Amino acid sequence: MATVPNPASQKPPSSETIVVPKMEGQTSGQNEENVDKTDTAGDAGDSEMQLVSSLAKLQKMEAMIHQLRTLLPGRLLEPLVPIVNPRKGSAVPKSPEILYEQLSQTARAGVAEVANFQSMWRGPEMKGIWDNVSAQIRENGGQLLQPTGMWERDYNVLLEELVKEEQTKQEQQQKAEEEMERSKIQSSEGDWKTIVETFLQKNVPGFRIACSNKDASFTAVLVKAGMALQAQAINGLGSGVPDWRVSNKLLPGIPKSKLEIAIADCLNSRTRQWDLAYLLDMISSYSDIKQTPCVKCNKMTDNAAQLPTIRQSKPSQSPQGQRVFIWEAYHPGCI
């Protein structure tokens, strides 16, 4: 598809101006009410995000319209230019067959461009925007809001800024929650073995744990997978709660397999290195690795005949309202 010009730096031609309504004369409450019709979250921050996202989509569609205006007769009949105006220096097609193929290619590209625009215009994402615009028109007695005639902001850039701000807030909130959990673990009664015993009450099939009596370590056995992993507590970063490092449990005369190495690497690259319950849950997700296909390609093995060794967690809630993690399996090449 042809390159789309930057909508923020162009003003629509005066003969066919595409107006952009300027949201004047409305209170912030009205804006949020309209946005909430397509926004499930419903708070002020999400409403602002939804509004900017909608404006960015409209801005993109306007740029696509300007680009489509150059399709006919310019780009669509471009192969004929060397014939009509040979002074431009372009090579004239050597045969009618070549000219036909060039015209066919530009026609197919043009049809695909129009189809892409129609798909976006009629798509579910735009439907919510059109519904919102229709509601605003009704609220204004059928009158369109006064336009400025041009875009005053690049809303795609503004949307990226809002997304970054939201990500920063989420990271800060997650960090604060983790600090609270660390403090809770540090002040709770019992030691790491209590966490292991609590997890064993879930009775995960094919998952066994043997705790060491000498140090803070344990061996996790994945019966169905036919492998064992060893977890060792290491010093935390001044938090008083140790981190946990996983290694392969070596058996005499049996070298480590690629599968065992890949699983240990994934476990050690996890977040929440200090969270023993999280680690136990993640290790147990490998208990049926030989029966769990990749979430993305829905296959057991990839082109290298490797099982899906990557695990990614999705936070969820149990029926009792407690936070739990759902583990999704991926091949390394499917991430």
Side-chain angles (χ1 to χ4, degrees):
M1 182 173 173
T3 303
V4 177
N6 185 353
S9 62
Q10 294 189 1
K11 183 174 180 178
S14 57
S15 60
E16 294 181 324
T17 301
I18 296 178
V19 298
V20 182
K22 188 174 183 180
M23 302 303 178
E24 294 178 342
Q26 289 187 345
T27 63
S28 60
Q30 289 174 315
N31 285 339
E32 291 175 10
E33 180 182 356
N34 291 335
V35 173
D36 285 346
K37 294 178 181 178
T38 56
D39 184 18
T40 56
D43 59 40
D46 285 343
S47 297
E48 181 184 12
M49 181 79 73
Q50 182 70 22
L51 179 59
V52 174
S53 176
S54 298
L55 289 169
K57 290 184 178 72
L58 291 172
Q59 201 170 48
K60 179 181 178 180
M61 292 201 69
E62 184 193 16
M64 294 173 70
I65 290 174
H66 292 318
Q67 185 68 12
L68 286 172
R69 285 173 175 167
T70 67
L71 181 60
L72 189 68
R75 290 186 289 124
L76 192 61
L77 301 179
E78 188 174 356
L80 296 175
V81 172
I83 300 174
V84 177
N85 188 5
R87 295 180 180 180
K88 291 201 172 183
S90 300
V92 177
K94 296 181 180 180
S95 67
E97 290 78 9
I98 294 178
L99 177 60
Y100 172 79
E101 182 59 30
Q102 291 175 349
L103 288 170
S104 298
Q105 289 179 358
T106 55
R108 286 192 294 268
V111 170
E113 197 171 326
V114 173
N116 182 40
F117 175 80
Q118 291 177 330
S119 176
M120 183 175 179
W121 180 280
R122 299 167 180 168
E125 292 183 353
M126 294 303 300
K127 184 181 183 303
I129 298 176
W130 302 141
D131 291 344
N132 193 10
V133 171
S134 298
Q136 292 181 6
I137 293 175
R138 288 194 300 270
E139 291 174 2
N140 284 274
Q143 299 294 322
L144 285 172
L145 299 176
Q146 290 297 319
T148 63
M150 64 180 294
W151 293 104
E152 299 178 354
R153 295 288 302 270
D154 188 334
Y155 286 99
N156 189 52
V157 173
L158 182 58
L159 179 61
E160 292 177 355
E161 293 175 354
L162 289 176
V163 170
K164 289 181 180 179
E165 290 178 4
E166 183 66 22
Q167 290 176 343
T168 301
K169 290 179 181 178
Q170 291 179 354
E171 290 173 358
Q172 292 175 346
Q173 182 179 0
Q174 181 179 358
K175 185 176 180 181
E177 290 176 354
E178 290 185 2
E179 289 300 327
M180 290 180 61
E181 291 183 37
R182 283 175 180 261
S183 300
K184 184 177 179 180
I185 292 175
Q186 191 173 3
S187 60
S188 62
E189 297 182 359
D191 56 6
W192 63 273
K193 290 185 180 180
T194 304
I195 299 176
V196 173
E197 292 170 357
T198 301
F199 184 83
L200 287 176
Q201 294 176 4
K202 295 182 178 181
N203 295 319
V204 178
F207 184 60
R208 304 288 184 269
I209 294 179
C211 296
S212 172
N213 294 323
K214 297 179 180 179
D215 54 14
S217 66
F218 63 88
T219 300
V221 181
L222 303 173
V223 179
K224 295 180 180 180
M227 67 179 66
L229 298 166
Q230 188 171 27
Q232 176 78 41
I234 59 178
N235 293 331
L237 299 177
S239 64
V241 179
D243 290 348
W244 291 85
R245 183 77 179 175
V246 179
S247 61
N248 299 110
K249 181 70 173 179
L250 298 179
L251 299 177
I254 301 178
K256 292 187 291 185
S257 66
K258 292 182 179 180
L259 178 63
E260 292 173 319
I261 295 174
I263 291 175
D265 289 343
C266 182
L267 289 168
N268 287 324
S269 66
R270 73 191 185 280
T271 58
R272 306 172 68 90
Q273 297 272 326
W274 51 271
D275 193 339
L276 179 54
Y278 182 85
L279 173 60
L280 292 169
D281 197 30
M282 187 175 182
I283 294 176
S284 68
S285 70
Y286 288 99
S287 60
D288 56 355
I289 185 173
K290 295 182 179 179
Q291 292 81 35
T292 304
C294 174
V295 170
K296 184 175 182 179
C297 69
N298 201 31
K299 296 179 180 179
M300 285 302 305
T301 58
D302 57 12
N303 294 333
Q306 295 297 316
L307 293 169
T309 55
I310 303 297
R311 292 293 183 272
Q312 291 187 350
S313 61
K314 291 179 61 176
S316 183
Q317 277 193 341
S318 67
Q320 294 76 26
Q322 297 178 340
R323 185 175 67 171
V324 295
F325 294 96
I326 299 174
W327 297 96
E328 294 182 338
Y330 293 89
H331 295 116
C334 291
I335 298 297

